[in-house]
Amino acid sequence: LTLAKAVFSAGQLKGIVGADFTIDAFCDLANSMNISKNGIVHIINRQGILLTSTEREEILKRNYFDRNKIAGGSFDRKEYLDGTPKSIIKGDSYYAVAPLGATPWFAVAQGPMSDFTGKIRLYSLLITVLQIVLCVASAVFISYKINKNKGN
């Protein structure tokens, strides 16, 4: 992949700066962006074409938006890739996008909300079970006291 940028000074073109990136380097960059345990990060261009993927045959061929209906399709491509970072939670999934500096590329992420809420749900369940046990123990204790007082 090649990134090139014209350099101007006082309205005059002074030159062009360019850099070449290997597909492997891009894939390593995307894989290093660990958002969540089961989340996936891709780098895409402004049209949504995958510049990275775990499936090499998809790179530069598949469009991110063909398979991923962001927030159930409520965002269109232009709105999603308008150059501002954003995140969306829809149902059991999260989606996020951020531009990569001054490049025409974007990091897009998606994954299950359970990556963030799993422990909260476990702790909530444990607290609920503890509350039930305390209620039952209190009821047994109160019943014992009432029956003991009736016998006196």
Side-chain angles (χ1 to χ4, degrees):
L1 299 171
T2 300
L3 178 64
K5 185 86 172 160
V7 178
F8 292 92
S9 177
Q12 296 257 320
L13 178 65
K14 295 296 181 182
I16 297 176
V17 176
D20 289 324
F21 300 93
T22 66
I23 296 288
D24 289 337
F26 249 47
C27 288
D28 290 345
L29 174 65
N31 291 334
S32 73
M33 295 181 207
N34 189 2
I35 305 295
S36 71
K37 180 180 175 185
N38 297 299
I40 271 183
V41 175
H42 290 292
I43 298 174
I44 63 173
N45 66 13
R46 209 171 276 291
Q47 291 73 39
I49 301 298
L50 290 176
L51 304 179
T52 65
S53 177
T54 54
E55 309 293 326
R56 292 210 31 98
E57 64 276 359
E58 293 183 337
I59 297 172
L60 298 174
K61 294 182 182 138
R62 187 173 75 80
N63 192 297
Y64 176 77
F65 296 99
D66 289 345
R67 195 171 11 177
N68 299 294
K69 299 297 181 209
I70 307 305
S74 62
F75 268 81
D76 71 10
R77 193 174 309 189
K78 272 187 169 177
E79 185 179 2
Y80 198 63
L81 300 177
D82 67 2
T84 60
K86 58 183 67 70
S87 59
I88 303 162
I89 297 171
K90 184 74 171 188
D92 292 337
S93 299
Y94 70 85
Y95 304 90
V97 62
L100 293 178
T103 72
W105 303 323
F106 297 85
V108 291
Q110 67 186 69
M113 282 303 298
S114 60
D115 283 357
F116 303 109
T117 60
K119 284 189 177 183
I120 293 170
R121 288 182 184 169
L122 174 64
Y123 293 140
S124 295
L125 178 63
L126 289 174
I127 289 169
T128 302
V129 168
L130 181 60
Q131 288 174 331
I132 291 170
V133 168
L134 288 173
C135 286
V136 169
S138 296
V140 168
F141 179 73
I142 291 169
S143 294
Y144 171 77
K145 285 293 195 176
I146 290 172
N147 285 333
K148 187 177 176 188
N149 286 339
K150 278 186 178 179
N152 288 336

